[in-house]
Amino acid sequence: MTDKMTIHGKIIPANLIGSLKDADMNGDLSAQLEQDGYLLLRAVHDPDAVSAARNEVLNRLAEVDEIAQPARAGIASGRSTRAEQHDDLGAFWRSVSEGQALRKVINGSRISSVMERLFGEPSAHFSFAWLRAMPAGRASPLHIDHPYMNRGSDRLVTSWTPIGAVAQDEGPLYIIEGSHKWPELRDRFEGLDVDRDSSRPGHMSDHPADMAAEHGTRLLTTAFAPGDCLVFGMFTAHASFDNNTSTGKVRISCDTRFQPAADAMDERFSGPNPPAHEGLGYACLSASKPMTAAVHLR
Ligand SMILES: O=C(O)CCC(=O)C(=O)O
């Protein structure tokens, strides 16, 4: 497997890759998040609901000829008519991101009740959602979430949901073990707001394997099954492995954000028409661009 575990084409040595451990769902979720910087929640969502969400997204991508028929296989066609069919790419991506079946999973009662247990009080979620369709060869850059969404609650957490199974060679998310406790990440990023300070990037260009090796830690990942999700805090360094699928399968995932309902919410990502970064709405996401287009960073 390790020859298929690459980041920007570089093979990651096996000794630098470890397994995310399953959260103890009956234990203290808050203490586990504090200790590990993440919670791997297995089977938190209904797999049938995830499958319905997956088909909903794939059918929308097939409509713009980016997914080959039968759409449920999730294989990239290598083509796109998205830009020809949709003048407003942000509006198109918003309509996909607000699909009923998708929202039933990512904002549903199952994950909301886990969040209530995590916070020990009622939870709320951003209305904005970061849906991604990652074709072969593509990966997300290394970053922490804090600089992108720090105008509201400091108890905000990310919930990363694979919309369908993601094998280890299909570009799963990884976190850098122990990074949530690294003072250097706080020194470098705490208080940075990428929409107010464009002089400093929010992501890191350091190679994650080098960072892990320097700290004597590893990149933690796993194979994800439909229904799983990975929760982490705002200072946990994370990104994805390259999608090295040999079948052309696109990795579909969605990140959402939860917080205690009583806390202030970052207004960029809340309400019926969230302005998101730079007021661009869903057009701020690289996923709003045709899958065949050059890669951007969000
Ligand atoms: O899905 C990905 O590739 C990246 C997800 C991510 O960066 C996040 O959940 O914050």
Side-chain angles (χ1 to χ4, degrees):
M1 180 58 70
T2 45
D3 61 332
K4 295 192 113 190
M5 301 300 285
T6 66
I7 296 174
H8 306 314
K10 182 174 158 183
I11 295 175
I12 307 304
N15 66 315
L16 289 181
I17 302 177
S19 290
L20 289 163
K21 69 173 183 215
D22 296 3
D24 171 6
M25 295 293 278
N26 299 316
D28 181 336
L29 295 177
S30 172
Q32 292 172 68
L33 181 61
E34 166 68 26
Q35 163 80 24
D36 301 324
Y38 69 89
L39 293 169
L40 173 58
L41 307 173
R42 297 289 191 189
V44 70
H45 299 291
D46 171 5
D48 291 338
V50 175
S51 171
R54 179 175 177 78
N55 287 333
E56 181 180 76
V57 172
L58 289 173
N59 285 333
R60 298 300 311 280
L61 291 172
E63 264 169 43
V64 293
D65 198 24
E66 293 183 8
I67 292 290
Q69 294 295 348
R72 66 179 177 284
I75 308 295
S77 68
R79 301 180 298 269
S80 176
T81 57
R82 195 188 305 206
E84 290 83 72
Q85 287 190 60
H86 297 279
D87 290 341
D88 185 343
L89 291 173
F92 171 69
W93 200 242
R94 179 180 175 179
S95 73
V96 182
S97 305
E98 292 184 346
Q100 268 186 14
L102 177 67
R103 291 298 173 135
K104 208 168 159 186
V105 173
I106 60 166
N107 299 151
S109 56
R110 286 196 179 206
I111 185 69
S112 296
S113 65
V114 173
M115 290 297 166
E116 292 205 14
R117 276 192 46 219
L118 171 64
F119 298 128
E121 58 189 271
S123 72
H125 59 78
F126 285 180
S127 55
F128 195 79
W130 288 251
L131 175 66
R132 299 168 203 266
M134 304 286 273
R138 204 165 287 181
S140 291
L142 180 64
H143 64 285
I144 58 172
D145 284 344
H146 170 81
Y148 296 94
M149 48 196 75
N150 58 17
R151 294 188 197 168
S153 175
D154 59 8
R155 294 187 284 170
L156 190 67
V157 295
T158 291
S159 162
W160 183 84
T161 310
I163 307 297
V166 178
Q168 284 206 208
D169 61 352
E170 291 173 347
L173 207 79
Y174 65 82
I175 68 118
I176 307 189
E177 187 175 32
S179 56
H180 62 299
K181 292 194 171 154
W182 293 351
E184 74 207 54
L185 290 184
R186 301 248 167 199
D187 295 346
R188 190 164 158 189
F189 291 110
E190 193 152 26
L192 172 64
D193 181 326
V194 292
D195 287 331
R196 290 191 174 129
D197 181 355
S198 55
S199 68
R200 288 190 286 156
H203 66 279
M204 297 172 243
S205 46
D206 324 54
H207 200 285
D210 296 341
M211 280 181 113
E214 272 161 32
H215 285 83
T217 63
R218 299 166 300 167
L219 311 185
L220 302 183
T221 193
T222 190
F224 291 88
D228 296 348
C229 97
L230 184 64
V231 171
F232 47 90
M234 292 294 111
F235 284 90
T236 299
H238 63 279
S240 74
F241 283 98
D242 299 338
N243 182 354
N244 284 332
T245 172
S246 51
T247 63
K249 190 173 150 203
V250 175
R251 191 210 79 190
I252 313 278
S253 65
C254 193
D255 10 322
T256 40
R257 270 83 201 186
F258 287 85
Q259 63 173 75
D263 288 5
M265 193 175 273
D266 191 323
E267 73 284 355
R268 288 171 294 178
F269 306 110
S270 58
N273 193 16
H277 294 291
E278 298 159 42
L280 293 169
Y282 282 84
C284 78
L285 300 178
S286 53
S288 73
K289 311 286 181 298
M291 226 192 287
T292 46
V295 202
H296 308 262
L297 288 174
R298 262 180 210 126

